[in-house]
Amino acid sequence: MGSCGSCGPAGGGPFSEGVELVEFVYCAHDGAVRNAPIPDGGLNAKCQGCGEPFVLKTFVGKCPKCGGVHAVSPPRCDDPANIQFAGKGYKLPGE
Ligand SMILES: [Zn+2]
């Protein structure tokens, strides 16, 4: 962690925002990052779609209530303020 700022798909990066960040994390390291557990048990998130509080336990996760897709990039996963929301109605690639 911490040295992977330039190996993602073109366009996105760990400091992107919104859906660009979500897709960057989703695709990073051929998908190895998205299901990796966030250190210290996860981040206390609040759904940016419906307002439901939930714990983001992996770098890409969904709101348990509305399914809204949220993600945080590994270099920024120490602060819930860095969680990015893909937008209402967004579906992950392949779903
Ligand atoms: Zn929600």
Side-chain angles (χ1 to χ4, degrees):
M1 300 290 182
S3 63
C4 56
S6 60
C7 55
F15 297 98
S16 298
E17 296 189 337
V19 66
E20 197 168 89
L21 186 277
V22 172
E23 293 191 335
F24 170 78
V25 177
Y26 184 82
C27 297
H29 297 270
D30 294 324
V33 174
R34 62 178 179 254
N35 291 321
I38 291 174
D40 301 322
L43 287 175
N44 290 314
K46 185 177 177 191
C47 178
Q48 293 173 43
C50 71
E52 179 82 359
F54 69 102
V55 178
L56 186 67
K57 291 184 176 169
T58 53
F59 289 103
V60 178
K62 289 181 184 175
C63 167
K65 189 172 177 185
C66 75
V69 180
H70 295 68
V72 67
S73 66
R76 302 178 77 192
C77 72
D78 56 348
D79 187 346
N82 294 327
I83 294 171
Q84 299 293 317
F85 176 48
K88 286 188 177 181
Y90 177 80
K91 294 260 187 293
L92 289 167
E95 288 196 351

